[in-house]
Amino acid sequence: MKLTSDKDGKLIEAKSNISKAVEIHEMAMQDDVMKMRQIPTLDLPNGKQVELKPGGYHIMFIDLHNQVKENDEVELQLVVENNDGSKETIDIKALAKPLTKSTETAKHDEPMSMHKHGH
């Protein structure tokens, strides 16, 4: 998923009815080890594309109500807070894609990869 804001702001929340909780996470190198951690917000600088993808910033669905299958439609709401304090909610409907695809068939602009994860 690629986000581009037309004003400075930050992603402050993600919500979905497919899981008990939805968190904003990042993967980052720390002492030569790749670590994943929840972050409270994700900066969205004016005009700069911010990409969410496996191995970087991503949305984590915690405690899925049901297993998500390939091509299931997933509803997601992103809440963005602009620098003036106003908030906007963006409604997204995305098709679930498998996490594993060969490099020949993988598309670089697939909307979202979904997986069940327990912390």
Side-chain angles (χ1 to χ4, degrees):
M1 177 168 41
K2 296 174 184 176
L3 303 175
T4 304
S5 179
D6 59 2
K7 53 189 146 213
D8 287 332
K10 57 190 171 187
L11 178 63
I12 61 169
E13 186 178 6
K15 301 184 258 188
S16 179
N17 61 2
I18 70 164
S19 63
K20 288 185 182 176
V22 183
E23 297 176 353
I24 307 163
H25 283 226
E26 78 168 335
M27 297 284 290
M29 289 299 288
Q30 181 180 349
D31 299 324
D32 295 327
V33 177
M34 184 65 82
K35 302 247 179 172
M36 179 174 61
R37 68 181 179 106
Q38 182 180 6
I39 54 176
T41 63
L42 176 59
D43 286 338
L44 300 173
N46 179 10
K48 182 180 176 195
Q49 187 179 83
V50 177
E51 186 172 11
L52 283 76
K53 62 183 179 179
Y57 296 116
H58 58 276
I59 302 295
M60 183 68 72
F61 298 87
I62 309 293
D63 293 331
L64 292 172
H65 299 306
N66 296 296
Q67 183 65 44
V68 176
K69 299 177 195 72
E70 185 176 357
N71 294 322
D72 282 355
E73 186 175 78
V74 175
E75 294 185 18
L76 177 66
Q77 288 186 319
L78 301 179
V79 181
V80 175
E81 183 178 297
N82 299 309
N83 275 3
D84 63 6
S86 64
K87 292 181 183 175
E88 297 178 55
T89 300
I90 303 163
D91 292 312
I92 297 171
K93 290 185 180 181
L95 292 180
K97 301 286 184 183
L99 269 179
T100 54
K101 280 195 176 250
S102 70
T103 53
E104 297 86 43
T105 60
K107 294 180 184 171
H108 298 291
D109 59 351
E110 288 179 352
M112 182 178 302
S113 293
M114 311 279 299
H115 61 283
K116 187 170 184 175
H117 185 85
H119 274 269

